[in-house]
């Protein structure tokens, strides 16, 4: 088998794990943060830069690529790795999340979802089989089951959605024809521990090579999200990667890792960068603020990223004020470096048996943005 | 003196010259094409990329930097080299061209120009002394005299503007206090050979370390532009660089070099790139066109740029259609590589005594865009 999950170290005080996940395009050291390349490009960056930043896994979105430029085209051009010139591991989602987010533009039935394109209004249909077929055309290393993401507090809806998600997981498993792609099942169940546990048990029975936790960071509180992780990860097989979809912020990485999560993805670092917001050890700051107008120092002293090694906050603020592309390139580079380097440090701390100390130290000085857990995808 | 112009080879059949211009921040092999960094950034590129592309000289615009972020600020932060993290040679214009382009927003008198900011409408005044003072704050290696750029076909206006331009050139020379900056005089005179010659003679008498030819590529025909170069360069001292401002296209480089021009700058390669247009040996093409939708080959086979080495036209077209920043980054990289590499080949052909053959060969296969000479700044 092309995939191998090796656990290297378990933290003695939490559920944190350090490991390696091998794919046909290389190894993913875990825990890992995956930058999001929605349309087969991590916004504002080049593959060369992502490599230099030390990204090991990146995400691409099936919904977006299916609509434009089309999965057939990408397949004819050799698959998404060749298309975007990224020869490392890639994960594609199933398209479900984006389709279910198209309120008013989609109709769900037990067989699948009919929806209209946000680009041109054309009608399309996704089923479990279609989601797998598209992902096989794209050719990512890790592919996701087609699931239904429900409003997290609606018990009745979550019960109905979970039944569909489980039926669709079986159909996805059966539809898979490529064995160089690891298909992950997705645990759903809103904020209901019993539903989450039922889902984890059901999916584990299907023996997926990895498990995702979906339907979180969609409007519930951080405490609710943490409770769902605590209800779920103990039921997942220890020797398979666990992927928390659409999460998260720097503090979310610590909280997720502590609860047994191995993989994360989020547009947060790249999206806030394009608004001038940058991550530092003390929290976020916005370079648009006047206080940075004549600051000769970098975003963060000691930071090894290209932006901090060469440019002042004053220059970055100028670029942002003048709407220059280099401004958002540099804030993106910094924020991705921050997240990827933080994850490297988290992994090193687990290997050193110092995860809890590192977590406490980081969270003591990092001022979180007070917000509900909301997926930024 | 910090500046030295060394002529290495004169083409025996044309006025083409190969040489070196030494500045405090390094040597500029001539002839040279300077990418334009209007707001202290060559749009969509990083200094690291410019270095890898082999750019030797870049331009920044005094008008823009004076208004935002302000020359005082840039001076406090160590000058424009430090500000934008480009440690190679930089040239700043005087601000005159942009100010004179502000139709309806400026008033000219014999002492200077009063104008309103295009950003916030605030009133400002530029004089020869002020233009030099600002450029000394910015700290470029090559700085330009403050001149008046007139409508090229209006004889009476050109006579009046030329008188001001000459008086201002003397005042700029007198106002200069930094001797680590090479101040270039600017020949004006519209499309009138006698005025151009009068201007060349007058400015030569002021003994500038370099001479620019301004007021071209502003609406006259290519034939008129060529005639003005032929009238001017023979009167300029052979041992000083000659800079044709705001020019040009690939074919313009050949025609200018053949008429004795050493330095060029133009926004053309970066501006058209942001519209999806790319330069090839056979002419321009636009990647938005449907014919490129499934093209697996690069912009140009054999091109050594990062875009052509890694990405298909189909991928670039996808990025452009999806409004992804990487799209215009890659077209910008390709176009700058095209211009800089073309100039390297032109220089090599002069050194080899093969300039005319190379010019004929290039122009035979390059389909020019039929257009009047219009500065893209």
């Amino acid at each position: 088998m092309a995939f191998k999950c090796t656990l290297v170290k378990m933290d003695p005080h939490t559920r944190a794990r350090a490991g390696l996940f091998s794919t046909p395009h290389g190894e993913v050291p875990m825990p890992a943060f995956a930058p999001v390349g929605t349309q087969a490009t991590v916004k504002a960056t080049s593959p060369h830069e992502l490599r230099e930043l030390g990204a090991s896994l990146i995400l691409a979105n099936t919904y977006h690529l299916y609509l434009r430029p089309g999965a057939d085209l990408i397949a004819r051009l050799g698959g998404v790795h060749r298309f975007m010139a990224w020869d490392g591991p890639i994960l594609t989602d199933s398209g479900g999340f984006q389709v279910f987010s198209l309120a008013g533009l989609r109709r769900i039935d037990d067989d699948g979802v009919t929806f209209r394109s946000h680009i041109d209004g054309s009608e399309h249909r996704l089923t479990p089989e279609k989601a797998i077929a598209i992902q096989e055309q794209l050719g990512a290393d890790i592919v996701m089951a087609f699931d239904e993401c429900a409003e997290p507090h609606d018990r009745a809806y979550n019960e109905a959605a979970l039944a569909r998600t489980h039926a669709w997981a079986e159909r996805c498993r059966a539809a898979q024809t490529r064995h160089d792609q690891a298909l992950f099942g997705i645990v759903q169940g809103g904020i209901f521990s019993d539903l989450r546990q039922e889902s984890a048990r059901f999916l584990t029975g299907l023996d997926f090579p990895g498990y995702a936790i979906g339907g979180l960071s969609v409007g519930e509180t951080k405490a609710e999200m943490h409770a769902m992780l605590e209800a779920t990860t103990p039921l997942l097989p220890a020797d398979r990667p666990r992927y928390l979809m659409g999460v998260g912020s720097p503090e979310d990485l610590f909280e997720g890792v502590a609860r047994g999560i191995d993989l994360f993805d989020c547009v947060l670092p790249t999206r806030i960068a394009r608004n001038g917001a940058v991550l530092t050890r003390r929290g976020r700051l916005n370079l648009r603020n006047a206080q940075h107008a004549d600051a000769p120092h970098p975003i963060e002293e000691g930071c090894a990223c290209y932006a901090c090694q060469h440019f002042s906050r004053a220059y970055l603020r100028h670029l942002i004020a003048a709407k220059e592309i280099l401004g958002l390139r540099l804030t993106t580079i910094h924020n991705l470096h921050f997240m990827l380097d933080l994850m490297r440090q988290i992994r090193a701390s687990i290997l050193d048996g110092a995860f809890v100390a590192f977590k406490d130290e980081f969270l003591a000085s990092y001022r979180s943005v007070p917000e509900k857990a909301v997926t930024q995808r």
Side-chain angles (χ1 to χ4, degrees), chain A:
Chain A
M1 170 161 139
F3 299 91
K4 198 173 143 202
C5 176
T6 311
L7 292 183
V8 178
K9 179 91 179 227
M10 314 288 288
D11 181 57
H13 307 293
T14 68
R15 293 192 167 274
R17 307 131 50 93
L20 275 180
F21 189 60
S22 302
T23 81
H25 287 85
E27 289 192 333
V28 181
M30 304 185 302
F33 176 81
V36 179
T38 307
Q39 305 190 101
T41 167
V42 176
K43 286 189 193 302
T45 70
S46 71
H48 177 72
E49 287 165 342
L50 290 171
R51 182 63 69 193
E52 291 211 321
L53 286 164
S56 59
L57 172 69
I58 63 174
L59 196 100
N61 283 116
T62 289
Y63 167 80
H64 288 282
L65 295 179
Y66 162 73
L67 290 180
R68 183 176 57 196
D72 292 344
L73 176 65
I74 291 177
R76 280 202 306 279
L77 290 166
V80 68
H81 292 89
R82 176 75 200 87
F83 186 60
M84 66 184 296
W86 171 258
D87 60 3
I90 300 178
L91 182 155
T92 47
D93 63 2
S94 68
F97 182 82
Q98 267 86 12
V99 169
F100 288 106
S101 304
L102 296 170
L105 292 173
R106 46 81 174 164
R107 269 193 330 274
I108 307 168
D109 57 64
D110 284 346
D111 181 57
V113 188
T114 301
F115 63 97
R116 289 193 178 278
S117 160
H118 74 285
I119 299 171
D120 63 7
S122 56
E123 190 169 281
H124 300 266
R125 184 162 172 83
L126 268 184
T127 61
E129 291 75 16
K130 185 76 188 281
I132 294 299
I134 296 170
Q135 290 185 87
E136 293 198 341
Q137 286 187 295
L138 297 176
D141 302 275
I142 303 173
V143 298
M144 304 303 296
F146 187 64
D147 64 331
E148 179 169 358
C149 181
E151 199 289 311
H153 298 91
D154 182 336
R155 172 94 198 179
Y157 181 18
N158 272 281
E159 288 178 2
L162 197 58
R164 274 193 289 264
T165 289
H166 291 172
W168 292 353
E170 288 189 297
R171 285 168 56 184
C172 285
R173 199 83 174 98
Q176 201 185 8
T177 67
R178 282 182 67 161
H179 297 289
D180 58 345
Q181 298 184 297
L183 172 62
F184 282 24
I186 305 179
V187 173
Q188 290 285 357
I191 56 151
F192 306 101
S193 294
D194 59 325
L195 295 186
R196 290 279 171 185
Q197 289 169 335
E198 176 193 331
S199 186
R201 282 193 199 95
F202 179 86
L203 293 170
T204 300
L206 296 181
D207 190 30
F208 287 104
Y211 295 87
I213 299 176
L216 291 176
S217 201
V218 292
E220 80 288 2
T221 65
K222 296 265 186 183
E224 288 169 332
M225 177 167 80
H226 298 162
M228 292 307 101
L229 298 182
E230 286 157 18
T232 306
T233 58
L235 301 184
L236 297 175
D239 63 346
R240 309 286 162 93
R242 297 91 172 258
Y243 163 36
L244 179 53
M245 303 184 79
V247 177
S249 61
E251 62 272 29
D252 289 336
L253 301 189
F254 284 99
E255 301 299 350
V257 167
R259 291 167 176 82
I261 298 297
D262 304 307
L263 302 173
F264 300 80
D265 81 283
C266 194
V267 299
L268 183 137
T270 46
R271 181 170 294 172
I272 69 172
R274 296 196 303 282
N275 292 322
V278 288
L279 299 167
T280 78
R281 279 302 179 101
R282 303 176 74 83
R284 281 189 215 179
L285 57 88
N286 199 306
L287 293 172
R288 292 178 186 277
N289 292 344
Q291 69 187 98
H292 306 301
D294 56 4
H297 51 284
I299 297 169
E300 187 145 62
E301 296 286 356
C303 173
C305 86
Y306 177 68
C308 288
Q309 288 292 306
H310 293 86
F311 304 99
S312 61
R313 290 186 182 182
Y315 180 66
L316 296 173
R317 182 174 186 276
H318 162 65
L319 292 179
I320 293 164
K323 299 185 169 41
E324 286 285 356
I325 289 162
L326 184 58
L328 49 88
R329 284 185 57 185
L330 293 172
T331 52
T332 298
I333 291 283
H334 172 81
N335 283 353
L336 284 177
H337 172 82
F338 185 92
M339 295 296 283
L340 293 165
D341 199 55
L342 185 61
M343 201 53 118
R344 281 189 289 267
Q345 292 176 58
I346 287 173
R347 187 169 191 272
S349 77
I350 298 168
L351 292 174
D352 290 349
F355 172 68
V356 171
F358 181 53
K359 176 172 185 277
D360 290 347
E361 178 203 330
F362 180 90
L363 295 178
S365 59
Y366 186 85
R367 201 167 64 86
S368 299
V369 176
E371 62 189 351
K372 285 203 173 178
V374 178
T375 290
Q376 309 210 29
R377 281 182 246 208

